[in-house]
Amino acid sequence: MKIKSLVVLLSLSLLIACSNKEPQKSEKNHQDHEQSQSHETSDIREETGKVESLPSFLMKQPKEIQVIYQAAAKHKELLEKIPCYCGCGVEANHKNNYDCFVHENKKNGAIVWDDHGTKCGVCLEIAAQSVRDYSKGKSIKEIRENINKTYEKGYAKPTPTPTI
Ligand SMILES: [Zn+2]
């Protein structure tokens, strides 16, 4: 990841609002409606063989979003310690900012992507800023404090990310 491209990304105003307002259905309910049209507000999950292979749902997204997804997936250790302030802790049961991009890392190296981040400017900005600061050599603790300071007022409750 080039630091420069992240700086450029950050300076772009990401006007995408979280569009995932509809309450999440429970898993059981969900199965009953698997074929229904009500999937529009649900987060899409897609598995690829490795971190370098981006999911097909990203192909119709702007390059900036693809770059952030790639960076997020490659910074698991960092983003798992960074809370997300978009409201996904309540809406999607996310535990940290990494969850907005990756649902699961399988033992064989496969990765299950989550399209939540494509619909959420806050998720994208938090990931981009964290990775950028990390590339500059800031500690995870320092990065997290900066994110908290930026988002603690006027945003949703943070995800329940354990303190460092
Ligand atoms: Zn989020």
Side-chain angles (χ1 to χ4, degrees):
M1 177 54 49
K2 291 198 186 79
I3 297 171
K4 233 181 181 177
S5 62
L6 275 170
V7 175
V8 173
L9 284 179
L10 262 189
S11 60
L12 291 168
S13 56
L14 293 161
L15 295 170
I16 317 143
C18 283
S19 55
N20 203 25
K21 293 273 153 58
E22 193 144 298
Q24 293 279 312
K25 295 184 182 100
S26 79
E27 280 297 310
K28 271 174 200 147
N29 264 340
H30 214 76
Q31 280 166 6
D32 298 339
H33 300 283
E34 204 63 90
Q35 300 303 320
S36 78
Q37 295 298 306
S38 64
H39 262 234
E40 274 177 291
T41 51
S42 300
D43 293 332
I44 298 169
R45 303 224 168 109
E46 185 179 329
E47 183 177 330
T48 66
K50 54 181 173 18
V51 170
E52 287 74 20
S53 311
L54 291 174
S56 63
F57 68 69
L58 279 183
M59 295 312 143
K60 56 183 187 292
Q61 296 291 338
K63 186 92 183 73
E64 295 78 35
I65 292 184
Q66 297 181 14
V67 171
I68 295 177
Y69 258 81
Q70 185 76 95
K74 288 185 171 172
H75 288 82
K76 182 173 190 279
E77 282 72 31
L78 166 66
L79 295 183
E80 276 186 338
K81 299 200 168 62
I82 304 295
C84 188
Y85 280 82
C86 79
C88 59
V90 174
E91 283 179 24
N93 218 6
H94 288 177
K95 300 284 179 276
N96 50 63
N97 184 244
Y98 183 74
D99 288 346
C100 304
F101 305 95
V102 177
H103 176 63
E104 190 187 345
N105 289 84
K106 299 206 164 160
K107 283 204 183 87
N108 62 3
I111 180 161
V112 182
W113 304 84
D114 195 309
D115 85 327
H116 178 91
T118 63
K119 300 172 283 185
C120 182
V122 173
C123 309
L124 292 165
E125 282 172 17
I126 288 176
Q129 188 183 328
S130 300
V131 172
R132 187 198 59 171
D133 286 354
Y134 192 70
S135 316
K136 282 182 178 170
K138 288 191 184 171
S139 71
I140 294 177
K141 194 166 189 283
E142 199 179 346
I143 295 166
R144 180 171 175 154
E145 281 164 7
N146 281 337
I147 296 290
N148 286 344
K149 233 180 272 166
T150 310
Y151 294 95
E152 69 192 350
K153 283 193 191 107
Y155 291 87
K157 244 183 99 176
T159 49
T161 311
T163 45
I164 302 165

